[in-house]
Amino acid sequence: ADRLGPYGFRLARTPSLDRLAREGVRCDDAVAVAPITLPSHSSILTGLLPPAHGVRDNGSYALGPSAVTLAERLKGAGCATHAVVSALVLDRRYGLAQGFDAYDDDLWSEDVPKLFLIRDRPARRTADRVLAWLDGRSGEERKKPFFAWVHFFDPHQPYEPEPQDRPLAPTPYDAEITGADRALGRILDRLREARLLDDTVVVVTADHGESLGEHGEKTHAVFVYDATVK
């Protein structure tokens, strides 16, 4: 939160998030249940804490079929459900595809990551897939309410921002935030152009933060200070 415009960071370049916060509701005390992706997303989508849903770490756990996800609830209420995720750590094998009509986790066209890093897709390409889905819905599908879960992996190590963002950002991490903000803005603009935005609830949250050297931690997953959970 301390690297975003809505929370007072003056060097941030986050116009999409700034506008959402200005026109909507900003939560000052949102806290992630864990400083790591899969357990945190399992909680976001089920409302359960890790001891209840059983997902304790990335890669070696999966959300069980007995869990009831937000997608399952909304599909049962008549919504079309669609997910686009940006990192292998959220592959369907880990159980988060429950309740989604389509779960886009196809990352094999992305660059092969360096050793010990996760295959991922930049926010720009993820937004392309979301827009293609929105534009490709048929006439009947367009009449149906929808739940779309859009997962951006950047900002996340390794920090590889878009070239146009790096010169104006204090760090590569901040530059990746700008890139994710731009991708979010493209989706919001498309909803606005289609006259859907006023009838759409938009919720933006994070699964964890980044220590950036605080408390001796470069990234995340070990400690639960505000740097990684607020």
Side-chain angles (χ1 to χ4, degrees):
D2 62 354
R3 313 296 289 202
L4 302 176
Y7 295 91
F9 186 51
R10 295 184 178 181
L11 297 180
R13 297 173 61 244
T14 53
S16 301
L17 291 171
D18 293 352
R19 182 172 178 179
L20 281 178
R22 186 170 61 250
E23 297 179 355
V25 175
R26 184 192 68 187
C27 296
D28 288 336
D29 293 310
V31 178
V33 302
I36 193 166
T37 299
L38 186 60
S40 188
H41 275 101
S42 297
S43 292
I44 290 171
L45 290 176
T46 65
L48 301 174
L49 295 172
H53 60 58
V55 180
R56 303 279 190 159
D57 200 355
N58 292 339
S60 53
Y61 292 82
L63 186 67
S66 62
V68 179
T69 67
L70 179 59
E72 289 176 298
R73 292 286 192 191
L74 292 176
K75 184 174 181 178
C79 291
T81 55
H82 191 86
V84 184
V85 301
S86 298
L88 191 61
V89 71
L90 295 179
D91 185 274
R92 67 183 63 239
R93 78 185 81 168
Y94 302 120
L96 296 187
Q98 299 176 51
F100 286 103
D101 298 325
Y103 192 87
D104 183 351
D105 59 352
D106 181 9
L107 302 169
W108 296 110
S109 62
E110 304 303 324
D111 296 336
V112 176
K114 295 179 182 178
L115 190 64
F116 302 125
L117 293 176
I118 297 169
R119 187 185 291 268
D120 68 290
R121 179 195 298 121
R124 168 177 48 82
R125 295 181 190 169
T126 294
D128 289 343
R129 288 176 176 256
V130 176
L131 296 177
W133 170 72
L134 284 171
D135 293 342
R137 292 177 301 149
S138 67
E140 287 301 314
E141 290 174 328
R142 288 177 181 273
K143 298 177 183 178
K144 198 173 185 179
F146 66 84
F147 168 57
W149 173 35
V150 182
H151 164 253
F152 294 141
F153 196 59
D154 38 359
H156 196 286
Q157 191 188 39
Y159 309 128
E160 297 172 339
E162 300 284 349
Q164 70 265 34
D165 296 326
R166 184 62 188 93
L168 299 177
T171 70
Y173 177 76
D174 293 289
E176 285 206 340
I177 291 175
T178 295
D181 184 271
R182 181 186 303 108
L184 171 64
R186 290 175 58 206
I187 296 170
L188 296 176
D189 286 344
R190 186 64 54 85
L191 292 172
R192 192 176 290 111
E193 292 165 4
R195 298 186 178 181
L196 292 173
L197 189 58
D198 286 345
D199 296 320
T200 302
V201 176
V202 179
V203 180
V204 179
T205 189
D207 56 333
H208 60 74
E210 202 82 318
S211 284
L212 303 176
E214 290 185 33
H215 307 287
E217 185 179 37
K218 290 184 178 179
T219 58
H220 61 276
V222 177
F223 301 132
V224 289
Y225 293 105
D226 278 356
T228 59
V229 298
K230 187 168 182 179

